[in-house]
Amino acid sequence: MVNLRQPRDVAQILLSVLFLAIIIIACLWIVRPFVLGFAWAGTVVIATWPLFIRLQKLLFGRRSLAVVVMTLFLFLVFIIPIALLVNSLVDTSGPVIRSVTSGEMTIPDLAWLNSVPVIGAKLYSGWHSLLEMGGSAIMTKVRPYIGTTTTWFVGQAAHVGRFVMHCALMLVFSALLYWRGEQVALGVRHFATRLAGQRGDAAVLLAGQAVRAVALGVVVTALVQAVLGGIGLAISGVPYATIFTVIMILTCLVQLGPLLVLIPCIIWLYWSGDTTWGTVLLVWSCVVGTMDNVIRPMLIRMGADLPLILILSGVIGGLIAFGMIGLFIGPVLLAVTWRLFSAWVHEIPPPATDPDVVLHELETLEDKNKQ
């Protein structure tokens, strides 16, 4: 009996694929405002899940109490510092914006140049000679650009509100993920297994380990260094310590370190004549600037046994490619790819370590082919 193959209905296949694509795109478009908040919530929950489980055991196994405590903890860690930062930025930038918009900003006198040894008087005289030759004209040309830049920064206030909204969504999604974390994780693993079998499940588990490694080794290290550096700035009497602390967090996240902010502050303290606190901040900066060499590898090993260069490359590359969320996307992609590549390579036994043995086997095979 001959089985005749039924002709494929190409139109039906194309329309089915088109219909599925439309459904997927529509769903992604609907949930697009919540993606960033959910991504941050997933990252936070994955990184703090072991802490959450320990807290639940301490609270007599009550999941609801543990969720409330962890949500309050995230509120204290994220929302309150962000509110203080925004308030500090508004208070600091208010006088600058008013002086720029009113046209009262003038070129500074730089009288402190006279205190520079040997060349101070010449620098001060040269600066004022430049002002006399056309300082007002220079300021007239520069002021419109300053005003435009200031207007741009004022316009970015909407982004602050959007960021606060994402933080609120992060708190809500974090509470939901804490409450149903096991079910969500099992669903993701089931979907990955349906796509790629056991390797898909392994990729999801590895992604979770990589997220925890990055959160512990990179973010926690950056926060510790920045907070300790900010404490040193505040104690030493450096103004705008809060803003400098935020800048240090960013420089530490991109692996530039806190010294990029601390060294100019030390120079300023010595320049202003406060040598005592300048020396204290110098010693403190040496401790803060080198502590990441000890903390980061230890914390990364606690999250996942991954090469340090892989994590750091993923952090920097992900930050450039995807923004702040790239701090986690970059290392996760590199880690999963590296582990899958390593598993694929090790499916066969390694070659012989002695090259003479390999060459002898090759010669034997060539002799057999000639015969």
Side-chain angles (χ1 to χ4, degrees):
M1 180 176 181
V2 180
N3 292 326
L4 298 178
R5 297 182 60 183
Q6 295 292 332
R8 294 184 178 181
D9 191 344
V10 179
Q12 180 185 6
I13 296 174
L14 291 178
L15 290 176
S16 299
V17 172
L18 179 62
F19 181 72
L20 291 176
I22 292 174
I23 290 179
I24 294 173
I25 293 174
C27 292
L28 292 178
W29 185 262
I30 292 173
V31 302
R32 184 174 58 90
F34 310 101
V35 170
L36 185 59
F38 186 81
W40 278 112
T43 300
V44 171
V45 171
I46 291 173
T48 58
W49 187 258
L51 177 63
F52 173 74
I53 296 299
R54 293 179 184 177
L55 181 63
Q56 181 179 342
K57 292 180 180 179
L58 292 176
L59 295 176
F60 310 102
R62 299 289 298 274
R63 173 62 63 93
S64 58
L65 292 178
V67 171
V68 171
V69 172
M70 287 300 299
T71 305
L72 291 176
F73 172 74
L74 295 180
F75 180 81
L76 294 175
V77 170
F78 287 97
I79 303 300
I80 292 181
I82 290 172
L84 294 176
L85 171 62
V86 172
N87 184 60
S88 177
L89 290 175
V90 171
D91 293 340
T92 304
S93 59
V96 177
I97 294 175
R98 283 195 298 269
S99 62
V100 171
T101 54
S102 62
E104 298 175 356
M105 178 171 286
T106 58
I107 296 180
D109 184 68
L110 301 184
W112 55 268
L113 287 174
N114 287 315
S115 61
V116 179
V118 183
I119 61 172
K122 293 182 179 180
L123 290 176
Y124 183 76
S125 176
W127 173 251
H128 276 268
S129 298
L130 179 62
L131 294 184
E132 292 172 0
M133 288 187 296
S136 59
I138 294 174
M139 196 61 198
T140 302
K141 293 182 179 181
V142 171
R143 187 180 287 115
Y145 296 100
I146 298 177
T148 303
T149 304
T150 306
T151 305
W152 182 83
F153 277 108
V154 172
Q156 300 306 305
H159 295 287
V160 176
R162 191 179 298 113
F163 182 71
V164 173
M165 182 195 71
H166 286 310
C167 288
L169 290 175
M170 183 268 294
L171 286 178
V172 175
F173 287 136
S174 296
L176 295 176
L177 290 175
Y178 281 132
W179 183 256
R180 297 295 181 186
E182 291 87 355
Q183 291 86 341
V184 174
L186 184 61
V188 173
R189 292 180 58 188
H190 194 180
F191 177 72
T193 304
R194 181 66 179 85
L195 287 180
Q198 188 176 2
R199 286 187 176 179
D201 188 20
V204 171
L205 296 176
L206 180 61
Q209 293 178 358
V211 168
R212 188 171 295 120
V214 175
L216 292 175
V218 178
V219 179
V220 173
T221 303
L223 291 176
V224 170
Q225 284 188 291
V227 170
L228 293 179
I231 292 173
L233 293 177
I235 294 176
S236 301
V238 177
Y240 309 120
T242 304
I243 297 178
F244 286 139
T245 302
V246 176
I247 296 174
M248 278 192 290
I249 292 176
L250 298 177
T251 57
C252 291
L253 286 175
V254 299
Q255 308 305 307
L256 296 177
L259 296 180
L260 198 65
V261 177
L262 292 174
I263 290 177
C265 294
I266 296 171
I267 296 174
W268 179 82
L269 286 174
Y270 278 108
W271 195 280
S272 62
D274 198 351
T275 57
T276 302
W277 284 112
T279 305
V280 171
L281 185 60
L282 175 62
V283 176
W284 185 246
S285 299
C286 293
V287 176
V288 174
T290 57
M291 65 188 312
D292 60 325
N293 297 324
V294 178
I295 297 177
R296 187 190 295 121
M298 180 178 63
L299 292 178
I300 287 178
R301 294 297 179 182
M302 290 174 59
D305 189 11
L306 297 171
L308 182 61
I309 186 65
L310 190 73
I311 297 294
L312 298 183
S313 300
V315 167
I316 298 174
L319 185 65
I320 296 173
F322 303 104
M324 291 299 294
I325 194 63
L327 289 171
F328 300 93
I329 295 178
V332 167
L333 290 177
L334 289 184
V336 172
T337 304
W338 169 257
R339 282 295 179 85
L340 293 178
F341 173 76
S342 178
W344 176 72
V345 170
H346 287 86
E347 285 182 352
I348 62 172
T353 56
D354 189 358
D356 294 333
V357 175
V358 178
L359 294 176
H360 178 69
E361 292 178 354
L362 181 61
E363 292 176 356
T364 304
L365 182 61
E366 290 178 349
D367 292 340
K368 289 182 179 180
N369 292 333
K370 292 178 180 179
Q371 294 177 357

